[in-house]
Amino acid sequence: MKHFILTIVIGALMIPAVSLCASAGNPAVTIGKDTYGFTLEGEEQIKRLDGETLRSRRYDGKIIWGMTERLDVYARLGASDLRVENPDYPKFKTAPRSMTWGGGLRYMLAESSEPSIAAYVDVQLLTFKAKASRDVEKTITYNGWPETYFEHHLTTYRYREFQFSFITIWHHETFSPYCGFALTNVFGHVDRRVTSDVWEGVTEEGNDFREYGIPEAVLGVDIDLGGTGRFSLEFRISDDSDVSYFIGVSELTR
């Protein structure tokens, strides 16, 4: 199902005959009233929460609708994976990728013609559930002899991300650089389930995780690919120097 969804999005991006000049894959601009956009995106987000480092890679498509000249609404659908580094637990990595969905809106606050600069606010929500299992080797001493056994760890993360961004972009025919800042809220729940080869029963534990108002600097650029396509590259740098990145391409149609 996940591969089918991504195939549809890629197909939409490969039909320039029904498209007009596109916005960025992010997108960095609003697309205009009664205009539809299709984007293909890849990104990696890095967050540090409660002593854990969460690295999330997302591969998704976005469908955008220009509700007014200043307001876009959009939906996101695709797949994500999650890697978690925690000194107290085995390293967590999902396989295969998990279904991901979300949505948001973008509103143009102001614009000027000379120079051609515009300011936007973007609000979006993204969520997915990631599962992974791993066998952890343990050693105990029995009657003076070491004996090896395995613990079976099953971990489930329910991950949600709410992001508010403010972006200023300078419009140019060939490329349009932009910058701004973002505040990201990450929250969710983790369940851990442990069984063993040598003892009966199940050990289960769970806890919520949250981090509100993570500040990030935003730096990016839209590049005109010629015809109807545009390419965008974006970096987000958090206050603890973690660097997240985004790559996207897009098409529009009326």
Side-chain angles (χ1 to χ4, degrees):
M1 182 64 179
K2 295 190 287 288
H3 298 294
F4 176 71
I5 293 168
L6 292 177
T7 301
I8 292 176
V9 176
I10 293 171
L13 290 170
M14 297 178 64
I15 310 177
V18 298
S19 302
L20 301 174
C21 183
S23 63
N26 192 56
V29 296
T30 47
I31 62 177
K33 185 178 181 180
D34 295 330
T35 302
Y36 294 90
F38 303 92
T39 79
L40 183 64
E41 307 172 349
E43 64 177 334
E44 181 176 68
Q45 292 287 335
I46 303 174
K47 299 292 182 288
R48 298 186 188 275
L49 310 173
D50 301 327
E52 293 184 332
T53 300
L54 279 67
R55 302 175 185 270
S56 173
R57 289 182 178 176
R58 298 90 179 264
Y59 309 91
D60 59 44
K62 182 188 292 181
I63 300 176
I64 314 164
W65 173 46
M67 182 177 291
T68 71
E69 290 297 333
R70 289 177 171 264
L71 177 64
D72 294 346
V73 294
Y74 57 85
R76 298 177 66 180
L77 188 62
S80 298
D81 62 25
L82 183 66
R83 290 171 291 162
V84 181
E85 299 171 6
N86 187 318
D88 298 326
Y89 295 98
K91 187 174 181 180
F92 176 97
K93 182 177 180 181
T94 57
R97 296 185 176 94
S98 306
M99 178 69 73
T100 302
W101 61 273
L105 59 87
R106 172 158 294 201
Y107 183 74
M108 183 170 65
L109 298 173
E111 63 177 336
S112 65
S113 56
E114 293 295 338
S116 182
I117 296 176
Y120 301 87
V121 61
D122 184 278
V123 180
Q124 63 174 303
L125 174 69
L126 186 77
T127 181
F128 61 88
K129 183 169 71 172
K131 292 185 177 182
S133 61
R134 182 182 178 185
D135 290 337
V136 179
E137 185 176 299
K138 298 281 186 175
T139 301
I140 59 173
T141 301
Y142 183 73
N143 291 333
W145 294 90
E147 183 173 334
T148 300
Y149 71 98
F150 288 91
E151 286 184 352
H152 309 292
H153 291 249
L154 176 62
T155 309
T156 302
Y157 273 80
R158 293 172 176 84
Y159 182 97
R160 297 177 181 87
E161 183 179 288
F162 178 78
Q163 190 173 82
F164 171 89
S165 304
F166 176 83
I167 294 172
T168 301
I169 184 168
W170 174 56
H171 295 286
H172 188 271
E173 291 182 0
T174 305
F175 66 95
S176 299
Y178 61 90
C179 63
F181 67 89
L183 292 175
T184 302
N185 301 319
V186 176
F187 53 97
H189 186 80
V190 56
D191 291 307
R192 295 182 175 90
R193 186 174 186 270
V194 182
T195 58
S196 172
D197 289 335
V198 298
W199 46 265
E200 296 182 357
V202 178
T203 301
E204 294 182 303
E205 62 178 46
N207 63 276
D208 295 327
F209 61 89
R210 63 179 62 85
E211 187 71 31
Y212 296 136
I214 303 172
E216 296 175 306
V218 180
L219 298 172
V221 62
D222 287 352
I223 301 174
D224 187 356
L225 298 178
T228 61
R230 291 187 73 86
F231 168 83
S232 65
L233 175 64
E234 179 181 296
F235 295 94
R236 293 179 178 245
I237 306 171
S238 67
D239 58 348
D240 54 10
S241 299
D242 285 330
V243 178
S244 302
Y245 68 87
F246 163 92
I247 299 173
V249 292
S250 58
E251 297 278 4
L252 299 188
T253 180
R254 291 186 184 273

